[in-house]
Amino acid sequence: RIPQLGTRYHIKLTPVVCYELLSLISKTQVTLIQSSIARILLKADAGEEGESWSNDEIASAFEISVRSVVRLRKRFVSV
């Protein structure tokens, strides 16, 4: 088993961004990847309303690697 990578990139979404991600998920004209990324970002949100899931929890729930979660967090924080 790969050792757990610490949550180095903390995501705190604003209410506006949360609303945009939720509306993106509800649309039928988005790709599965776009929908999955939106769901992962909402689970990773460490803001007041966020669920603040760990990398391991997200990786397990979405059946992806922990490394993929870390890369997504890093990409979102860098934007």
Side-chain angles (χ1 to χ4, degrees):
R1 179 173 150 98
I2 299 172
Q4 179 181 1
L5 298 172
T7 306
R8 183 175 181 183
Y9 302 100
H10 298 280
I11 296 174
K12 290 188 179 180
L13 303 175
T14 64
V16 173
V17 173
C18 287
Y19 176 78
E20 290 174 2
L21 291 173
L22 288 169
S23 65
L24 179 75
I25 291 169
S26 65
K27 292 181 182 176
T28 57
Q29 296 288 326
V30 295
T31 65
L32 180 61
I33 292 173
Q34 290 172 322
S35 177
S36 295
I37 289 171
R39 291 176 192 277
I40 290 168
L41 290 174
L42 288 168
K43 296 296 183 190
D45 179 20
E48 292 179 19
E49 300 289 323
E51 297 187 37
S52 192
W53 283 19
S54 71
N55 293 338
D56 284 335
E57 290 172 319
I58 294 170
S60 178
F62 290 91
E63 297 181 350
I64 59 175
S65 70
V66 173
R67 183 73 185 125
S68 294
V69 177
V70 172
R71 281 194 306 262
L72 179 64
R73 284 180 185 265
K74 181 179 179 181
R75 190 173 83 200
F76 185 79
V77 170
S78 297
V79 170

